[in-house]
Amino acid sequence: VEHNCLGTGAYRSVSEWLEAIKMGRYTEAFVENGYSSMDTVTQVTLEDLRRLGVTLAGHQKKIMNSIQEIRVQLVNGMVPL
Amino acid sequence: MCTNVVCEWLKALRLLQYAESFVDNGYDDLEVCKQIGDPDLDAIGVLLPQHRRRIHAAVRRLKDEASKGD
């Protein structure tokens, strides 16, 4: 796929992303609450995670770190060379 | 083998067998380990009561050390 160079393109779906970081148990909560594409996932805040039922500190940390990485990749991918 | 502080911490507790699961669940520094309670241990898969007690006691020590530092 063409836009694979953009960070979010590295994961084709929310489910693939969550499985990759071993947080697959939250896939349903994400999708049911409207975070069903990688674009929407980059907007997620810690507050949102709590609402989604991600209450464990380690899981929050892991998901937020991964979102942060995706944001950085997205920004870098969009910067013209 | 032990490249991470949580690894070192678990090694000292003789619970190194859980290191991979701790890191996989996002408990990869001592700051986040301070927040460990029963639900966290459930997720990590620490099921044996004696192991859970040992970790709870160690978490209390982490918190005590932190409050002394203030």
Side-chain angles (χ1 to χ4, degrees), chain A:
Chain A
V1 182
E2 283 298 317
H3 65 256
N4 251 357
C5 55
L6 299 180
T8 55
Y11 301 109
R12 279 164 302 181
S13 66
V14 173
S15 133
E16 188 181 299
W17 164 61
L18 287 171
E19 292 291 339
I21 63 168
K22 299 184 184 176
M23 294 287 125
R25 76 187 74 182
Y26 299 112
T27 301
E28 223 178 279
F30 269 77
V31 173
E32 280 176 2
N33 285 280
Y35 301 101
S36 51
S37 73
M38 289 310 292
D39 284 343
T40 54
V41 157
T42 59
Q43 318 287 322
V44 167
T45 64
L46 188 56
E47 196 47 48
D48 295 327
L49 284 190
R50 292 200 185 102
R51 265 201 304 272
L52 294 177
V54 183
T55 55
L56 300 180
H59 291 185
Q60 291 172 350
K61 185 181 175 199
K62 197 155 188 204
I63 294 172
M64 288 313 292
N65 281 351
S66 180
I67 290 174
Q68 192 52 42
E69 272 173 32
I70 292 169
R71 283 189 193 135
V72 168
Q73 286 169 9
L74 192 66
V75 167
N76 288 343
M78 283 172 153
V79 169
L81 289 172

Side-chain angles (χ1 to χ4, degrees), chain B residues 12-28:
Chain B
L13 297 173
R14 287 172 292 120
L15 296 171
L16 195 55
Q17 66 269 38
Y18 299 112
E20 194 182 341
S21 187
F22 266 72
V23 173
D24 278 351
N25 281 283
Y27 299 90
D28 58 358

